Amino acid sequence: AKEKEHINVAIIGHVDHGKSTLIGRLLYEAGQIPPHIIEQYRKEAEQKGKATFEFAWVMDRLKEERERGVTIDVAHRKIETNKYIVTIIDCPGHRDFIKNMITGTSQADAAILVVDVAECVQPQTKEHVFLARTLGINQIIVAMNKMDRVNYDQKKFEECKEKVAKLLKLVGYKIEEVPFIPVSAYYGDNVYKRSDKMPWYNGPTIFEAFDMLKPPVKLIDKPLRIPIQDVYSIKGVGTVPVGRVESGVLRVGDKVIFEPPGVVGEVKSIEMHHEPLQEAKPGDNIGFNVRGVSKKDIRRGDVTGHLDNPPTVAKDFTAQIIVLQHPTAITVGYTPVVHAHTAQVACRFVELQKKIDPRTGAVKEENPQFLKTGDAAIVKLEPTRPMVIERVKDIPPLGRFAVRDMGMTIAAGMVIDVTPRK
Ligand code: GDP
């Protein structure tokens, strides 16, 4: 049988609109909670004299993990459809919500926007849609959630749908291609199973909508790039960097370089989900053992590439940004932290080149003195320490970034050009 393609889907939306409930419902009904765990819970429930209530247990567990701030093991959040292995990327809800959302969505091929029909478009709904678009997520599924709260009423659905459609159109989504699905994550309507409470709806369920997504663009023919998430030193094995292959192919025996430090090593082995691999492709989350590199030579934020086509270390870079929120104004000299792939580096705004219309790209003002909330602009940034970043055109996942300051996301951007450090 042909191997199924992998696709990463981020869950976005305003707090309390039902993101984690939807994830729990999907995993549970798609049978992705291991049977032995369900069995264990069933026994516990029996002992306590309770009726079996597995879904509630799944929810409690997800909640517990979130509250502990655990990045939930991605391996446990996969759903197999007819066409895809779907990995659900969660964007936890408490501290640093937006930052996590950015690291999540920067790897996403599509997004599910969860909207509580009763509350409809809220501030984070707007912000996330803006970010998703800027970060290059071109496919979106809208889960119009909590339909049970409006008695599964079609009119309520249509009213809110219109508002969400307007928002999506504004940032440039092709609305004809976006499924709007009336669901109740809590009761399971139109999530995995078709609901009999909304006979007026004949579109796909969330589960079915996954198979309508276009497969992600393969980055397999691009140069190798693996942003490092962590580095381990394992007894009897050696140095093991861990990260997701964003582009290119890594093979056992390859000579690799880590930038910015510029250290070089040879790949002795590759592992994914505790299984050895001969080669790793875009989308694979791997650990790989490199000879010739010590744990202290490299760190999170460095990027692995092949020796003959190393990752670009930027002297400066030109980017298109959207200012999401800034209490006053951005001027030349402002130095917030740029989050790109797994790196976080303070970067200085050295030029404000032009203000542009975010939808059409038309120039509104040359060399503006400042930028304010809502502005889109072309700017030049200079990292305060060496940093790898690529043109979004060349290697999309390494060309997107978020600008953070004062505990919030100031702007999101895409790299148009890079001046390499000599
Ligand atoms: P998140 O912050 O977006 O992850 O939202 P949660 O999944 O934690 O849900 C927030 C609240 O809304 C919880 O109390 C859920 O039980 C409730 N909720 C989620 N989905 C539904 C739904 O479909 N119907 C109803 N009535 N409540 C829901």
Side-chain angles (χ1 to χ4, degrees), residues 290-400:
V290 270
R291 179 183 289 170
V293 176
S294 129
K295 180 178 183 320
K296 64 177 181 4
D297 292 338
I298 54 176
R299 59 165 161 165
R300 182 182 171 88
D302 292 346
V303 179
T304 315
H306 282 133
L307 210 46
D308 59 355
N309 197 337
T312 310
V313 182
K315 182 184 157 288
D316 58 53
F317 58 95
T318 306
Q320 173 171 338
I321 64 164
I322 295 177
V323 183
L324 297 165
Q325 49 185 346
H326 194 284
T328 55
I330 294 175
T331 55
V332 165
Y334 180 49
T335 311
V337 177
V338 166
H339 293 239
H341 52 89
T342 56
Q344 299 182 11
V345 177
C347 294
R348 210 165 82 90
F349 280 78
V350 289
E351 283 175 22
L352 307 182
Q353 296 179 348
K354 47 189 92 171
K355 212 147 87 171
I356 55 177
D357 183 321
R359 282 167 62 206
T360 62
V363 178
K364 280 183 15 191
E365 189 185 343
E366 297 281 354
N367 303 308
Q369 288 300 299
F370 57 84
L371 300 173
K372 294 190 121 157
T373 301
D375 284 343
I378 309 285
V379 300
K380 188 183 267 187
L381 289 154
E382 205 173 76
T384 57
R385 62 176 172 81
M387 164 185 208
V388 168
I389 201 152
E390 308 280 358
R391 291 194 299 188
V392 78
K393 199 170 76 179
D394 298 335
I395 305 174
L398 272 79
R400 304 181 192 122

Side-chain angles (χ1 to χ4, degrees), residues 69-224:
V70 178
T71 325
I72 295 150
D73 187 354
V74 255
H76 288 156
R77 318 199 116 215
K78 285 190 199 306
I79 294 168
E80 195 171 336
T81 66
N82 282 329
K83 242 171 102 178
Y84 295 119
I85 311 277
V86 182
T87 298
I88 305 288
I89 302 173
D90 187 14
C91 313
H94 306 300
R95 201 156 37 94
D96 249 357
F97 180 89
I98 304 290
K99 194 199 100 194
N100 286 326
M101 138 112 194
I102 282 155
T103 44
T105 53
S106 67
Q107 306 179 341
D109 306 303
I112 301 181
L113 172 66
V114 181
V115 181
D116 177 338
V117 276
E119 298 198 359
C120 207
V121 174
Q122 293 295 318
Q124 281 167 15
T125 320
K126 288 188 194 160
E127 189 175 357
H128 292 181
V129 165
F130 241 133
L131 279 172
R133 186 67 190 170
T134 303
L135 295 168
I137 300 173
N138 298 322
Q139 307 190 77
I140 203 156
I141 296 167
V142 183
M144 304 283 281
N145 192 31
K146 309 200 188 181
M147 283 303 296
D148 60 289
R149 281 183 64 192
V150 297
N151 295 316
Y152 301 97
D153 180 30
Q154 182 176 11
K155 219 174 123 233
K156 291 272 167 30
F157 168 80
E158 296 293 346
E159 273 167 23
C160 177
K161 176 184 166 177
E162 217 169 282
K163 291 183 187 136
V164 178
K166 203 169 138 201
L167 170 68
L168 294 178
K169 232 190 256 168
L170 181 74
V171 303
Y173 283 102
K174 291 199 193 89
I175 223 64
E176 324 77 73
E177 294 173 5
V178 178
F180 287 80
I181 309 176
V183 305
S184 168
Y186 194 83
Y187 293 103
D189 295 287
N190 288 336
V191 176
Y192 182 78
K193 285 185 289 233
R194 208 151 261 285
S195 172
D196 54 9
K197 299 194 192 81
M198 291 172 276
W200 47 267
Y201 177 76
N202 50 26
T205 62
I206 300 286
F207 185 75
E208 288 163 353
F210 287 143
D211 277 349
M212 294 160 64
L213 295 170
K214 287 184 219 115
V217 179
K218 279 282 168 216
L219 293 160
I220 203 159
D221 298 326
K222 304 266 187 189
L224 176 71

Side-chain angles (χ1 to χ4, degrees), residues 35-54:
H36 71 273
I37 290 180
I38 291 185
E39 192 47 39
Q40 179 192 327
Y41 181 70
R42 190 171 276 145
K43 277 195 193 125
E44 279 171 26
E46 253 173 41
Q47 278 162 11
K48 289 179 185 148
K50 284 187 197 153
T52 50
F53 199 33
E54 294 101 336

